[in-house]
Amino acid sequence: GKYDLSNMENSMMYKILTMFNEYQTKVSRIKSIEGKLRRVKDGQYVFRSPFGYTKVDGYLVEHPENGKWLKKMFEWYKDGMSSIDIRNELFKNDVKPPTNKTGLFLPHSIMKMLRNKTYIGIHTFHDKESGITITNENLPLVEKKLFYDVQKRMSYKRGGNQLKNFSLVFLL
């Protein structure tokens, strides 16, 4: 409602209520962060489940259908398919992304998935406010060798090693 802040008592009461509300908000935020940190320390995954996983009691487990498709995405990329080829293959097989309402995986989302270390059993949580970083192990869905072969190909495609065997010949 409206407060007559020209009245000294009303003004003081409004300021006290405002300060108390700010205090409650900060306490609630701190408790939320502490709860999240406690769950992470217990090995739980506090983010939305990555494609290929589902959560049971806060822990990542392989999704019965999407887990196999995730593995195929890594294999396909290692074998030379582009992110657009992978998207088209998933679309042909009626595999839909969990968040995109178009029913199509976005190529940059596929590339981000292929870089995600959660798939080899490592996830890191960093709380900016406290500065605390916790790295946990989780169920890997992709073999480390396959993951790092994909990383090598991605690095190459980004220009990391493209000029290594390149030479110029000048005719004078």
Side-chain angles (χ1 to χ4, degrees):
K2 291 185 178 183
Y3 291 96
D4 177 13
L5 298 179
S6 62
N7 178 321
M8 201 165 61
E9 287 83 17
N10 287 350
S11 178
M12 183 177 79
M13 186 57 79
Y14 179 78
K15 288 177 184 176
I16 289 171
L17 289 173
T18 301
M19 285 175 51
F20 186 72
N21 189 35
E22 287 176 13
Y23 168 78
Q24 280 187 311
T25 301
K26 287 178 183 178
V27 166
S28 177
R29 174 148 172 69
I30 288 168
K31 285 182 179 180
S32 172
I33 291 169
E34 287 172 347
K36 192 177 280 191
L37 286 172
R38 188 175 52 257
R39 289 192 310 277
V40 170
K41 285 177 183 174
D42 288 343
Q44 294 185 27
Y45 194 83
V46 295
F47 307 109
R48 184 179 63 232
S49 300
F51 180 80
Y53 288 103
T54 189
K55 282 197 278 188
V56 174
D57 297 326
Y59 297 92
L60 291 177
V61 297
E62 185 172 350
H63 187 281
E65 291 296 316
N66 293 341
K68 68 180 180 185
W69 289 108
L70 175 87
K71 294 170 190 170
K72 287 183 181 190
M73 292 167 70
F74 275 87
E75 289 287 346
W76 289 335
Y77 191 83
K78 181 190 75 120
D79 292 342
M81 288 177 79
S82 70
S83 57
I84 293 171
D85 296 333
I86 293 170
R87 176 194 62 190
N88 294 341
E89 196 63 37
L90 293 169
F91 182 73
K92 276 194 292 188
N93 287 283
D94 201 32
V95 180
K96 294 181 176 28
T99 57
N100 189 337
K101 296 187 184 5
T102 65
L104 287 174
F105 282 85
L106 299 174
H108 75 272
S109 296
I110 291 172
M111 298 305 282
K112 191 174 178 182
M113 289 167 60
L114 294 173
R115 286 187 198 98
N116 188 345
K117 286 189 173 187
T118 301
Y119 295 122
I120 57 170
I122 301 167
H123 71 269
T124 301
F125 173 83
H126 176 74
D127 177 51
K128 293 176 189 167
E129 200 161 304
S130 67
I132 294 174
T133 300
I134 300 170
T135 300
N136 282 332
E137 293 182 3
N138 57 268
L139 173 74
L141 294 185
V142 175
E143 299 279 331
K144 284 185 179 179
K145 180 174 180 353
L146 174 59
F147 181 84
Y148 287 112
D149 285 347
V150 165
Q151 303 316 299
K152 193 182 299 182
R153 177 167 179 245
M154 290 172 89
S155 171
Y156 180 81
K157 287 193 61 91
R158 274 185 270 161
N161 298 320
Q162 288 177 331
L163 299 178
K164 207 175 242 182
N165 298 322
F166 182 77
S167 61
L168 291 173
V169 176
F170 293 98
L171 298 175
L172 300 175

